[in-house]
């Protein structure tokens, strides 16, 4: 068969400017950074030239200073440095340096309080990215903005930059990674962001008397994507729409769900350098070694009896979205389920406290580490038998896909990307890859945990489940091809 029928050759000159508030390996608080680290190289593989613009936060190192420029914003001026990193052929990262805005302890908030100038911080990121294109006369086919922080990119393209020649043929794509974060600010920000008051209307940025930068991204982009097909449907309903369901239904013909991939090199049990031993679907001996090691790392017993008990892992932001309130509802029952729990995360003080207390009360079966630890996250994925992710809502979710790859069977709720990536044991027969429950109740989570622990005891069935899970393909290549289709669609139907 000729190769061309397998892989249509991309147009070599296509280019995309991505704008986002975080990207690996430069910054990360959540899944957004993983996507911005992995999607660009996958697009580059398909022949696209990708430039990713992110802030140069405190701790972000690397990059060559290309130039410093003065940019106007809302009647003031900002002194901005453009640092560039050529990560690989066709993959450049632009680090936007403005220390008074980005050289801070955290990315978005401190002590649970958002930085009051977040509108300015991220508007400047967007302006800097667009100015970079203008100054270097770079005609990007697509500007791809991610989440509310980049929501003004499609807006500026159709206002401030509407007649800028370099963007004459540019189409915009806006991706919603999590609708819960909406970039809502007081109206008086409009002039401070160089936006006309006329945008304070239903089809503009107006949102319950204030402005929403997320709404800007939704209303002004050529195409909208979100990170799983099911979430694309869910956010058009009142239950998951956070007040945006009507707006999204209005633009439904432009809204598409594309599952995130996972970085198959970073998350590969056969080569993962964070692990004490490696394993594969056909030889899972190393997984038991990983289990012993992670139990020890948590100060738990790793004798034969401990190794035979199912080990449930959880790596999560400790917030309601991730189902922490469900866990709180069955906290007192966890020690009676016949399993051991290892937990890693940070988040709401009450949930951190809950896990600390549970670990103190049940030191033999529950252990917790409060913090952010990439290496430990890998070792939990490798060492655990089960992974608990009972989210209230989940746009895509990455940890359940890492879990599948590491033969760690996910227990998830049937929402968003979790529903799209995990097939339930009772429903999917030989294709099953995990345990899926419907109702957001502690009782259903408890039942799923019990069911999972029971099946775990049946070694033959468990082996099949693990093999099926490990055979799933969630690589970025597939998702990147879907994005290319959306880019082409956006180009064909620019506003
Ligand atoms: P979200 O972006 O909503 O937090 P995802 O599952 O999409 O959830 O992505 C979370 C990412 O952050 C995953 O890569 C996960 O492993 C990682 N992560 C979350 N909390 C921690 C932590 N405490 N330590 C290390 N990695 C973490």
């Amino acid at each position: 068969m000729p190769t061309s029928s397998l892989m249509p050759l991309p147009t070599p000159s296509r280019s995309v400017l991505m704008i986002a508030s975080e990207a690996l390996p430069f910054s990360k608080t959540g899944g957004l950074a993983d996507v911005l680290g992995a999607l660009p190289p996958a697009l580059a593989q398909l022949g696209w030239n990708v430039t990713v613009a992110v802030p140069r936060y405190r701790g972000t190192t690397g990059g060559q200073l290309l130039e410093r420029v003065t940019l106007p914003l809302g009647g003031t001026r900002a002194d901005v440095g453009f640092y560039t990193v050529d990560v690989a052929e066709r993959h450049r990262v632009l680090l936007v340096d403005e220390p008074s805005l980005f050289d801070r302890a955290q990315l978005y908030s401190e002590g649970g309080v958002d930085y009051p100038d977040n509108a300015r911080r991220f508007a400047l990121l967007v302006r800097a990215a667009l100015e970079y294109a203008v100054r270097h006369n770079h005609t990007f086919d697509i500007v791809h903005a991610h989440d509310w922080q980049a929501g003004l990119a499609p807006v500026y393209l159709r206002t401030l930059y509407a007649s800028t020649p370099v963007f004459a043929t540019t189409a915009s794509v806006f991706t919603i990674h999590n609708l819960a974060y909406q970039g809502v600010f007081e109206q008086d920000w409009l002039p401070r962001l160089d936006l006309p008051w006329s945008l304070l209307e239903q089809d503009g940025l107006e949102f319950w008397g204030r402005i929403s930068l997320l709404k800007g991204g939704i209303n002004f982009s050529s195409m909208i994507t979100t990170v799983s097909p099911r979430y694309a449907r869910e956010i058009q309903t009142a239950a998951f729409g956070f007040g945006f369901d009507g707006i999204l239904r209005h633009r439904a013909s432009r809204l598409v769900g594309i599952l995130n991939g996972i970085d198959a090199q970073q998350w590969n049990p056969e080569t993962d350098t964070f692990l004490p031993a490696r394993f594969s679907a056909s030889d899972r001996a190393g997984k038991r070694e990983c289990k012993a090691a992670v139990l020890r790392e948590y100060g738990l017993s790793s004798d034969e009896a401990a190794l035979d008990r199912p080990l449930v892992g959880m790596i999560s932001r400790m917030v309601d979205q991730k189902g922490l309130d469900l866990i709180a509802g069955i906290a007192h029952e966890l020690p009676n389920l016949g399993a051991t729990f290892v937990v890693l995360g940070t988040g709401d003080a009450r949930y951190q406290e809950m896990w600390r207390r549970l670990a103190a009360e049940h030191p033999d079966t529950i252990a917790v580490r409060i913090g952010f630890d990439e290496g430990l996250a890998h070792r939990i994925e490798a060492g655990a038998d089960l992974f608990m992710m009972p989210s209230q809502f989940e746009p895509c979710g990455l940890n359940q896909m890492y879990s599948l790859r590491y033969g760690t069977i996910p227990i998830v709720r049937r929402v968003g990307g979790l529903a799209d990536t995990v097939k339930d044991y009772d429903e999917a027969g030989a294709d099953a890859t995990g345990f899926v429950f419907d109702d957001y109740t502690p009782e259903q989570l408890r039942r799923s945990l019990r069911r999972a622990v029971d099946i775990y005891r049946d070694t033959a069935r468990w082996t099949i489940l693990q093999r099926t899970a490990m055979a799933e393909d969630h690589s970025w290549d597939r998702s990147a091809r879907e994005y290319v289709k959306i880019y082409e669609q956006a180009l064909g139907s620019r506003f």
Side-chain angles (χ1 to χ4, degrees):
M1 207 190 288
T3 358
S4 56
S5 75
L6 285 175
M7 204 169 57
L9 278 181
T11 316
S13 59
R14 291 282 199 230
S15 62
V16 52
L17 170 62
M18 294 209 189
I19 309 175
S21 58
E22 47 185 278
L24 277 176
F26 302 98
S27 46
K28 167 164 170 168
T29 67
L32 175 66
D34 297 77
V35 174
L36 269 294
L39 175 58
L43 286 168
Q45 280 289 323
L46 298 176
W48 278 68
N49 290 302
V50 189
T51 300
V52 182
V54 284
R56 188 164 183 266
Y57 295 111
R58 181 178 301 175
T60 301
T61 53
Q64 291 276 333
L65 179 62
L66 186 67
E67 58 183 339
R68 294 207 80 88
V69 297
T70 302
L71 299 183
L73 183 61
T76 65
R77 300 196 160 271
D79 172 34
V80 173
F82 289 143
Y83 285 73
T84 56
V85 186
D86 287 322
V87 180
E89 202 187 341
R90 293 196 289 269
H91 177 190
R92 166 173 283 200
V93 173
L94 173 69
L95 299 169
V96 175
D97 182 60
E98 210 293 39
S100 77
L101 298 180
F102 299 128
D103 183 9
R104 299 192 183 170
Q106 303 292 332
L107 269 55
Y108 311 116
S109 60
E110 263 175 68
V113 181
D114 285 348
Y115 291 127
D117 57 350
N118 271 348
R120 179 176 171 81
R121 297 173 75 220
F122 295 106
L124 186 81
L125 167 71
V126 170
R127 285 291 284 283
L130 299 180
E131 284 297 328
Y132 168 82
V134 174
R135 293 178 66 83
H136 297 276
N137 199 24
H138 199 325
T139 306
F140 287 100
D141 297 286
I142 298 288
V143 168
H144 185 171
H146 297 263
D147 274 351
W148 73 260
Q149 290 89 345
L152 286 182
V155 181
Y156 283 143
L157 284 174
R158 294 185 51 215
T159 52
L160 273 184
Y161 294 85
S163 48
T164 307
V166 82
F167 296 122
T169 56
T170 303
S172 58
V173 174
F174 181 62
T175 296
I176 302 167
H177 295 261
N178 191 340
L179 193 68
Y181 302 96
Q182 307 168 340
V184 175
F185 302 96
E186 296 306 325
Q187 305 179 1
D188 62 6
W189 271 101
L190 281 171
R192 290 192 270 165
L193 303 176
D194 293 330
L195 295 169
W197 284 102
S198 59
L199 289 181
L200 196 64
E201 53 151 30
Q202 192 75 45
D203 293 336
L205 268 58
E206 195 274 337
F207 189 68
W208 300 103
R210 299 199 279 173
I211 59 166
S212 158
L213 305 194
L214 179 86
K215 190 170 175 183
I218 294 171
N219 276 343
F220 288 79
S221 51
S222 305
M223 291 294 294
I224 307 153
T225 75
T226 186
V227 289
S228 68
R230 172 135 174 166
Y231 192 61
R233 294 194 298 276
E234 287 172 347
I235 57 178
Q236 297 178 51
T237 67
F240 292 92
F242 289 102
F244 283 79
D245 42 304
I247 301 158
L248 288 160
R249 279 198 303 276
H250 183 62
R251 300 223 63 207
S253 64
R254 302 291 184 126
L255 172 62
V256 176
I258 301 177
L259 267 179
N260 286 335
I262 59 172
D263 187 326
Q265 270 160 17
Q266 270 280 323
W267 292 92
N268 180 353
E270 294 182 43
T271 53
D272 191 331
T273 49
F274 286 118
L275 307 185
R278 284 171 267 290
F279 58 95
S280 64
S282 55
D283 180 3
R284 281 167 292 117
K287 188 164 172 70
R288 202 167 162 91
E289 265 185 67
C290 290
K291 182 171 179 177
V294 80
L295 285 168
R296 281 196 298 272
E297 192 166 347
Y298 269 96
L300 295 163
S301 161
S302 60
D303 63 15
E304 285 303 307
L307 284 174
D308 286 342
R309 271 169 79 88
L311 179 62
V312 182
M314 182 165 190
I315 304 159
S316 179
R317 290 186 289 119
M318 292 181 176
V319 294
D320 284 342
Q321 182 204 325
K322 299 292 182 181
L324 269 290
D325 50 339
L326 285 196
I327 296 168
I330 54 164
H332 58 288
E333 293 178 67
L334 291 181
N336 311 325
L337 290 170
T340 307
F341 292 83
V342 287
V343 176
L344 169 65
T346 56
D348 292 355
R350 63 192 161 132
Y351 292 133
Q352 295 187 171
E353 191 41 44
M354 172 189 85
W355 279 115
R356 281 208 185 97
R357 202 181 51 244
L358 278 170
E361 285 167 5
H362 308 283
D364 296 338
T365 49
I366 300 179
V368 59
R369 189 72 55 81
I370 303 297
F372 197 95
D373 186 335
E374 189 82 23
L376 182 56
H378 283 246
R379 289 188 290 279
I380 292 171
E381 287 291 7
D385 302 296
L386 287 154
F387 192 86
M388 182 162 63
M389 201 161 170
S391 304
Q392 217 171 66
F393 65 93
E394 193 60 74
C396 177
L398 293 170
N399 275 308
Q400 84 280 13
M401 293 194 274
Y402 301 150
S403 300
L404 292 170
R405 191 123 203 262
Y406 282 65
T408 302
I409 302 305
I411 300 171
V412 303
R413 182 161 172 252
R414 200 187 309 274
V415 280
L418 298 176
D420 285 338
T421 53
V422 182
K423 296 186 208 90
D424 180 58
Y425 186 78
D426 288 335
E427 294 166 8
D431 292 334
T433 55
F435 298 91
V436 185
F437 65 95
D438 286 279
D439 296 342
Y440 193 70
T441 61
E443 172 55 21
Q444 284 237 355
L445 171 61
R446 192 185 58 78
R447 257 202 249 155
S448 294
L449 278 164
R450 273 212 187 287
R451 195 159 59 113
V453 167
D454 280 351
I455 308 294
Y456 172 83
R457 307 252 171 247
D458 186 333
T459 313
R461 287 186 184 194
W462 196 257
T463 304
I464 295 171
L465 197 50
Q466 279 189 313
R467 287 225 177 108
T468 313
M470 294 179 85
E472 294 271 301
D473 172 18
H474 288 292
S475 66
W476 265 106
D477 177 60
R478 210 174 44 176
S479 310
R481 285 170 196 273
E482 298 281 313
Y483 275 104
V484 167
K485 279 192 215 151
I486 296 302
Y487 291 170
E488 298 294 351
Q489 211 172 325
L491 284 168
S493 58
R494 289 181 64 239
F495 261 117

